[in-house]
Amino acid sequence: MTTHPLFATRTQNMKASEIRELLKLLDQPDIISFAGGIPDPALFPADAFAQAFQTALGPGRQAQALQYSVSEGYAPLREWLVDHMASIGVACDMDNILITSGSQQALDYLGKLFLSPGDTALVGWPTYLGAISAFNAYEPLFDRLSIPGNQGAEEYRKAAGAGRVKFAYLSPDFSNPTGETVDLRGREALLDLAEDLDCATIEDGAYQALRYDGAPIPPILALEQARKGSIEACRTIYCGSFSKTLSPGLRVGWVVAAKPIISQLVLMKQAADLHSATINQMAVHQVAQACFESHIPKVRQTYRARRDAMLTALQAHMPEGVSWTKPEGGMFVWLTLPAGTSGAALLARALDTVKVAFVPGQAFFPDGSGENTLRLSFSNSDEDTIREGILRLGQVLRAGGQ
């Protein structure tokens, strides 16, 4: 890491993303990569986007598409999102929504909004690496979020010491990296904990639409709204994204929260980049309006088959002592290796001998634990490639990958 006497102290917490580095392997055609949580580009509604951009640049619209815009976001897209959020149980209006440059920008803004140096953020153990990176810049302490809580509010307060718990962050549906889902009881328990701690909840809904099995569970924000009657009384902040459903390259995400929170985030947006790209928002709106409901089932069908292929291959080829999650949706399977096995060392050996990539699990733990874990993504490989890759990985493990 590059350091300099002029750099702020917060830069000491900034680290390169292991996942972003591993994505460079995608340019090597002989590598079977289960590393990045990357959508399959064959599933992008490319024709619909081509038409949407053509429309945005057509007569009468190009001036708006290419001009500065309001920081809150393109109004028709926010109106569409009002209806979309209602469809998953959250009642809100346009003023409860801010468009961001992907949900990753939302996490950065929320870290900036809530965290002073030494404050505590409750996160999963493991948790999304991008959230750790976003929050780290604001110099917090991290504590383990246990759901349903076997640690009560008073224990969290003691663990936080002088640093107040400011929020709990989680992805309750098919989380990155484990693929696990928080059940209804766990979501209700989290709301109780947030009330007891007087802290916010950041609900990362990046994978919410990608359910393959089981009945949908209401978002945490919807459950809190049912308790309190209005989104304005809620302390939960919902972060959504079109990256996993329509296109990650356009970088369009959104935040839904009480208006005082949105107002503060708008000020941050104005200071950071003024507004997200107008033409991208216009294109996403047109595509979402035209085909979101018909497109998502195709995505689910494809990823469901790939998940099933990976789970079947793991059952066939993993040696005794290896366990894994069985996600109901999303893009990831989480492996726990026998004690003493290093995921990082296994990656080096797998790349060298069988050309298979994955993400060692240690990167997802704020304290650097989890050495014997790893994350596999099934979204960007077809079933035959998945079967071959898991076969190879099993061979490395059987040969002794520690």
Side-chain angles (χ1 to χ4, degrees):
M1 181 181 67
T2 302
T3 60
H4 190 281
L6 293 178
F7 290 173
T9 56
R10 73 178 67 90
T11 62
Q12 298 172 14
N13 296 325
M14 297 179 182
K15 300 177 182 178
S17 167
E18 292 191 27
I19 298 172
R20 306 308 300 178
E21 293 300 311
L22 283 169
L23 290 183
K24 297 173 184 177
L25 295 170
L26 294 178
D27 293 330
Q28 302 179 28
D30 59 337
I31 297 288
I32 295 178
S33 179
F34 301 133
I38 300 175
D40 185 344
L43 293 171
F44 298 159
D47 291 342
F49 274 116
Q51 180 61 51
F53 277 101
Q54 184 176 357
T55 299
L57 292 172
R61 303 198 71 190
Q62 69 268 44
Q64 182 181 19
L66 299 176
Q67 184 59 278
Y68 286 117
S69 187
V70 297
S71 299
E72 289 83 351
Y74 182 54
L77 177 58
R78 291 161 64 212
E79 290 172 351
W80 185 91
L81 284 167
V82 167
D83 292 337
H84 173 72
M85 294 305 299
S87 75
I88 61 174
V90 176
C92 63
D93 61 40
M94 267 181 50
D95 292 334
N96 296 114
I97 297 174
L98 169 68
I99 302 298
T100 56
S101 296
S103 60
Q104 186 65 33
Q105 185 180 65
L107 297 180
D108 176 59
Y109 288 177
L110 291 167
K112 183 184 294 186
L113 178 64
F114 287 110
L115 295 171
S116 297
D119 284 341
T120 295
L122 303 181
V123 298
W125 225 261
T127 196
Y128 171 48
L129 176 57
I132 298 174
S133 298
F135 302 150
N136 253 339
Y138 306 104
E139 304 176 79
L141 304 172
F142 290 103
D143 197 3
R144 180 172 187 162
L145 176 62
S146 181
I147 305 171
N150 56 22
Q151 182 171 341
E154 188 59 35
E155 286 73 19
Y156 277 122
R157 291 191 189 97
K158 290 177 181 177
R164 179 184 170 188
V165 176
K166 289 295 187 69
F167 60 73
Y169 164 81
L170 74 163
S171 183
D173 296 292
F174 334 117
S175 70
N176 181 359
T178 67
E180 294 176 322
T181 295
V182 179
D183 63 14
L184 181 60
R185 176 171 170 264
R187 297 178 195 215
E188 297 282 7
L190 177 63
L191 287 173
D192 293 338
L193 179 65
E195 287 290 333
D196 290 344
L197 289 172
D198 191 26
C199 73
T201 299
I202 299 175
E203 179 177 17
D204 189 339
Y207 303 93
Q208 186 273 334
L210 301 183
R211 173 173 285 280
Y212 316 135
D213 299 325
I217 305 172
I220 296 167
L221 179 54
L223 295 173
E224 185 176 16
Q225 196 171 29
R227 289 184 178 192
K228 296 182 176 178
S230 167
I231 191 171
E232 301 306 328
C234 293
R235 63 180 73 242
T236 301
I237 300 135
Y238 183 97
C239 301
S241 175
F242 290 104
S243 292
K244 305 303 187 291
T245 52
L246 295 182
S247 165
L250 296 181
R251 311 306 302 131
V252 179
W254 70 92
V255 181
V256 183
K259 289 170 188 173
I261 293 173
I262 295 297
S263 295
Q264 289 297 311
L265 296 177
V266 169
L267 296 180
M268 294 178 182
K269 184 76 173 168
Q270 292 171 351
D273 64 359
L274 302 183
H275 63 88
S276 296
T278 307
I279 192 170
N280 289 1
Q281 295 181 67
M282 293 173 72
V284 166
H285 170 249
Q286 181 170 320
V287 172
Q289 189 175 47
C291 66
F292 189 87
E293 294 303 324
S294 61
H295 177 70
I296 296 306
K298 300 173 187 175
V299 176
R300 290 174 180 153
Q301 182 179 14
T302 299
Y303 290 162
R304 178 189 292 112
R306 293 175 182 182
R307 178 209 58 180
D308 292 347
M310 180 168 281
L311 293 177
T312 300
L314 287 168
Q315 186 65 45
H317 301 302
M318 285 297 109
E320 188 173 350
V322 178
S323 60
W324 53 90
T325 58
K326 298 175 177 60
E328 294 180 321
M331 295 182 169
F332 307 107
V333 175
W334 181 253
L335 266 65
T336 301
L337 308 173
T341 304
S342 165
L346 177 64
L347 173 63
R349 183 167 178 176
L351 284 170
D352 182 56
T353 60
V354 296
K355 305 295 185 183
V356 173
F358 55 83
V359 183
Q362 200 166 10
F364 299 97
F365 291 85
D367 64 350
S369 59
E371 183 182 20
N372 66 321
T373 60
L374 60 93
R375 190 194 76 177
L376 301 173
S377 174
F378 51 79
S379 56
N380 198 31
S381 301
D382 61 36
E383 290 97 306
D384 288 341
T385 302
I386 288 170
R387 285 187 279 266
E388 176 62 24
I390 298 301
L391 169 64
R392 295 183 192 181
L393 187 58
Q395 291 171 343
V396 176
L397 274 166
R398 292 179 185 280
Q402 59 266 35

